[in-house]
Amino acid sequence: PPRSRGLTASPLAPVPATLVAHVHHPISRGRDVDLAEHVLITVRGSDPQLGLPTAGFEQRSTIQLNDFHAKKAAILAGLGFGWLPDQLIRGEIKSGRLRRVRWRGPVRHTFTPKLYRRADLPLGRAARRLIASLIASA
């Protein structure tokens, strides 16, 4: 939950994600690899409360990018590995351009994003429709 009080949360559709690397990246060729030896690609400001199975690992090198599309491009360029939403990588997994990272932990993780809004302000018609639409897509 956010640290500021006075917010209301609406859970959105769960997002399954997979830990991946480019097919030619050294991490994608082995089993039980040491993740700390490779560059982790993350999205700047990612919430530690997502509970990613790799969250507790010390990384020697991390690249932080602004969004998932930039993260996907960096992983496809072979710069490192990271968690990506399945909906963004279905084609690349199927074609073999991306591979699931084989390490001692899980390669799949699902998180539920939440939409936060101020509880003290009534929603207008457009905001109500937007929130209903986002929740319905769950």
Side-chain angles (χ1 to χ4, degrees):
R3 292 184 184 168
S4 13
R5 301 203 184 275
L7 297 178
T8 299
S10 301
L12 302 176
V15 177
T18 302
L19 188 63
V20 295
H22 187 269
V23 65
H24 296 303
H25 190 282
I27 201 172
S28 69
R29 296 185 196 132
R31 282 187 167 274
D32 298 326
V33 294
D34 182 4
L35 299 181
E37 295 179 8
H38 302 277
V39 177
L40 173 65
I41 312 287
T42 65
V43 173
R44 187 181 330 275
S46 293
D47 190 342
Q49 294 180 355
L50 291 177
L52 295 172
T54 52
F57 286 104
E58 290 286 328
Q59 287 302 128
R60 292 184 190 140
S61 294
T62 302
I63 296 174
Q64 294 184 351
L65 300 170
N66 289 331
D67 58 45
F68 281 113
H69 294 287
K71 181 177 180 177
K72 177 181 172 181
I75 292 171
L76 283 169
L79 299 178
F81 72 98
W83 293 96
L84 284 172
D86 290 353
Q87 67 187 28
L88 287 181
I89 58 171
R90 281 190 188 102
E92 289 79 5
I93 291 284
K94 188 174 180 178
S95 72
R97 290 178 62 202
L98 291 178
R99 283 194 183 157
R100 291 172 181 87
V101 174
R102 297 170 132 188
W103 67 299
R104 65 180 178 266
V107 296
R108 306 278 326 249
H109 180 73
T110 300
F111 64 94
T112 302
K114 294 179 183 174
L115 177 66
Y116 290 95
R117 64 176 186 83
R118 290 183 51 184
D120 62 342
L121 293 176
L123 294 176
R125 188 173 26 176
R128 285 193 307 267
R129 288 182 67 188
L130 173 65
I131 291 172
S133 173
L134 290 171
I135 292 172
S137 69

